[in-house]
Amino acid sequence: MTSNTSGPRFRPFASPNHHVTKGRYITSNDPRGYIPVYEYPLNGQWIMMDIDDGYILWTGIWKALGNSKADIVKMIDSQPDLASVIRRVRGGYLKIQGTWMPYEVALRLSRRVAWPIRNDLIPLFGWVFGLCFFFLPSFVGSPRVLLRLGCSFSWFGRLQWFIFILFVDQHFLVHVYLQTSQGMARSSTVRQGGAERGDR
């Protein structure tokens, strides 16, 4: 998402692998009488973002992952706080029908579930999302788990990890360092205690 005071507030990020177009769909479900969007196809679905307020058609992302539309209802029921911010569009153009969510909400949910199509969501969320969102603290609760995972990645996966650490979340790096230091200190204490028992 980028901001420009002289044009639309929400704009897609540039991506050489995606052809994003603009559309405008008439609907009675919106007080404007229409929904202006940026859109592009993905896995037989349409990925859409409202030009005016950044709302994302979550149904498109969810179905592009191969999931059932009916599962969205279950997901929303499990998170009552979403009910007050989502929009549901029914009737009219089939492309725009479904559940729309605020930009930040869609971004947060995509971090959790959209790993398989991460690179195809770059027009919506940017290249950092495509490279590194899997490693964000909101997805991985324990830095120690992240360190163990990083050891099993290919060289490119490790490069992504370092890009995240260096440019995205330095606070997370400090957290990793502190936990690792504490773990090494505990290990050293255990070894010293074992050596002392052995000397007796």
Side-chain angles (χ1 to χ4, degrees):
M1 176 190 68
T2 59
S3 179
N4 188 329
T5 56
S6 62
R9 179 184 172 195
F10 292 87
R11 291 184 176 179
F13 289 87
S15 171
N17 300 320
H18 304 88
H19 180 60
V20 181
T21 58
K22 294 176 70 173
R24 178 168 165 161
Y25 299 93
I26 297 175
T27 176
S28 60
N29 293 138
D30 193 285
R32 294 168 293 183
Y34 63 90
I35 299 178
V37 301
Y38 289 111
E39 61 183 353
Y40 62 97
L42 174 62
N43 297 341
Q45 307 299 321
W46 285 95
I47 306 301
M48 292 186 172
M49 176 172 65
D50 192 310
I51 294 175
D52 290 340
D53 57 21
Y55 265 64
I56 303 293
L57 179 59
W58 180 252
T59 299
I61 295 176
W62 188 249
K63 294 181 70 175
L65 285 163
N67 298 315
S68 168
K69 185 176 179 179
D71 292 335
I72 297 179
V73 177
K74 299 177 183 178
M75 180 184 65
I76 294 174
D77 288 343
S78 66
Q79 302 184 61
D81 57 308
L82 293 180
S84 61
V85 296
I86 64 171
R87 299 175 187 162
R88 287 192 175 94
V89 176
R90 299 185 177 90
Y93 290 93
L94 183 62
K95 289 170 68 173
I96 63 172
Q97 291 182 24
T99 301
W100 293 73
M101 296 183 176
Y103 186 91
E104 294 299 329
V105 175
L107 173 59
R108 186 176 73 244
L109 292 177
S110 294
R111 285 173 180 167
R112 299 177 184 175
V113 304
W115 170 254
I117 59 172
R118 61 198 181 281
N119 293 324
D120 289 311
L121 297 181
I122 289 176
L124 295 184
F125 304 126
W127 69 271
V128 172
F129 175 89
L131 283 175
C132 306
F133 86 100
F134 177 70
F135 306 114
L136 290 173
S138 63
F139 185 89
V140 180
S142 169
R144 192 165 297 167
V145 171
L146 175 57
L147 290 173
R148 291 172 182 170
L149 285 172
C151 294
S152 64
F153 293 146
S154 65
W155 67 269
F156 184 66
R158 293 175 185 176
L159 176 62
Q160 292 178 345
W161 187 85
F162 282 114
I163 289 175
F164 165 73
I165 290 299
L166 292 175
F167 298 106
V168 180
D169 198 337
Q170 295 180 2
H171 295 290
F172 185 57
L173 176 59
V174 172
H175 190 58
V176 169
Y177 172 77
L178 290 176
Q179 283 211 0
T180 304
S181 299
Q182 292 170 1
M184 293 175 64
R186 284 194 295 269
S187 297
S188 177
T189 301
V190 170
R191 286 197 298 271
Q192 290 176 2
E196 290 175 357
R197 285 193 295 271
D199 294 338
R200 293 173 183 172

